[in-house]
Amino acid sequence: MDDGPARFQRLSEADLPEGDVTIKVRYSTLNYKDGLAVLGKGKIVRRFPMVCGVDLAGVVESSQSQEWQPGDEVIATGFGLSELHPGGYAERQRVPGEWLVRKPASLELSQTMAIGTAGLTAMLCVLALERAGLSPEQGGEVLVTGAAGGVGSVAVALLAELGYSVTASTGRPETRGYLKELGAAAFIDRSELATDSGRLLDSRRWIAVVDTVGGTTLATAVKQTHYAGAVAACGHVGGTDLPLSVMPLIIRGVQLLGIDAVQCPLPLREHAWQRLARDLPLAKLDSTTSYGNLDEVPQLAEKIVSGQIRGRLVIRVD
Ligand code: NDP
């Protein structure tokens, strides 16, 4: 793309960017962020022209890196992909070897993209909550907002599998059956959390929260969190502001944890992928996943940005 909505263009070998590993891309994904980038919104792309796609999975074609050999199956998510470095919506891509994660043996390449940046983010939220002291033995409800979206769906499936009682917040009542199958035990309508109570603290309800929405929803979730509970904040589909006082933090000791999957250091990234391979039930992952082809990306981008996509969307590249 140059600087507006993305379009298709044939590129040559000479157009491949800098990097020491060339990959035959098999799959990419469409995340909310990709939708914004493809439509030329949200200032995601920071250098033009750009190949969009924040995720890719494929097979190493050639490598100058000691770490990687032709034939290795690899995953790249985040770092500069689709922002400063060309991304996954291309049949071949070249990246620095240190951005790559080896495909966990128990996952198919397509399943790694069913996980993608969204699933990695969900796992990073769970890991942050665990570091903050969360454990299933505590009992009580864990809230996931934007539950029927990509990050939310994987978070619901992971937390339920780990033994938590998950309450899913969704604005789409028709997704409740799907969320129940992923393991949601209870539901709360999106609008309840998006309404400001006007109070500094609300009645305690959640032992922990995975929030993909931001804005008033995040503020309400923090105000409703139990003493010493934790809230992992990763998204902003409902707004970038945070209308919140410090009271939940200093009266209830609530921990507000920022999550970043883009620049996440490699050791934590590799650990998160191992945990995903271990903890995410593949049947549930498959039920969250739908597929599209590269030529459908522009229409699908419109859909994800208007909140019409359920779960994860894998893009077949080859
Ligand atoms: P999706 O579009 O797949 O899911 C977002 C979900 O949020 C929707 O499905 C919908 O869920 C809900 N939603 C949509 N619009 C609104 C609204 N106006 N108010 C409240 N809820 C809304 O997006 P992703 O799961 O890919 O990403 C979620 C967020 O996480 C995004 O903001 C994204 O940028 C961020 N993100 C951050 C990362 C990081 O490193 N911090 C990495 C990856 C994503 P429902 O229908 O159930 O209500």
Side-chain angles (χ1 to χ4, degrees), residues 163-240:
Y164 296 100
S165 175
V166 179
T167 297
S169 165
T170 180
R172 291 180 280 175
E174 68 277 15
T175 62
R176 288 187 177 200
Y178 157 79
L179 288 165
K180 219 170 189 169
E181 278 171 31
L182 293 184
F187 296 93
I188 179 169
D189 193 88
R190 180 203 283 181
S191 60
E192 268 190 60
L193 297 168
T195 308
D196 190 346
S197 68
R199 291 188 291 269
L200 300 180
L201 292 164
D202 289 335
S203 302
R204 287 165 285 189
R205 184 150 184 201
W206 322 112
I207 56 165
V209 179
V210 171
D211 176 65
T212 72
V213 173
T216 304
T217 299
L218 173 58
T220 303
V222 173
K223 289 195 273 185
Q224 294 182 348
T225 297
H226 274 280
Y227 188 85
V231 177
C234 68
H236 59 86
V237 287
T240 52

Side-chain angles (χ1 to χ4, degrees), residues 8 62 87 159:
F8 291 100
S62 62
L159 288 161

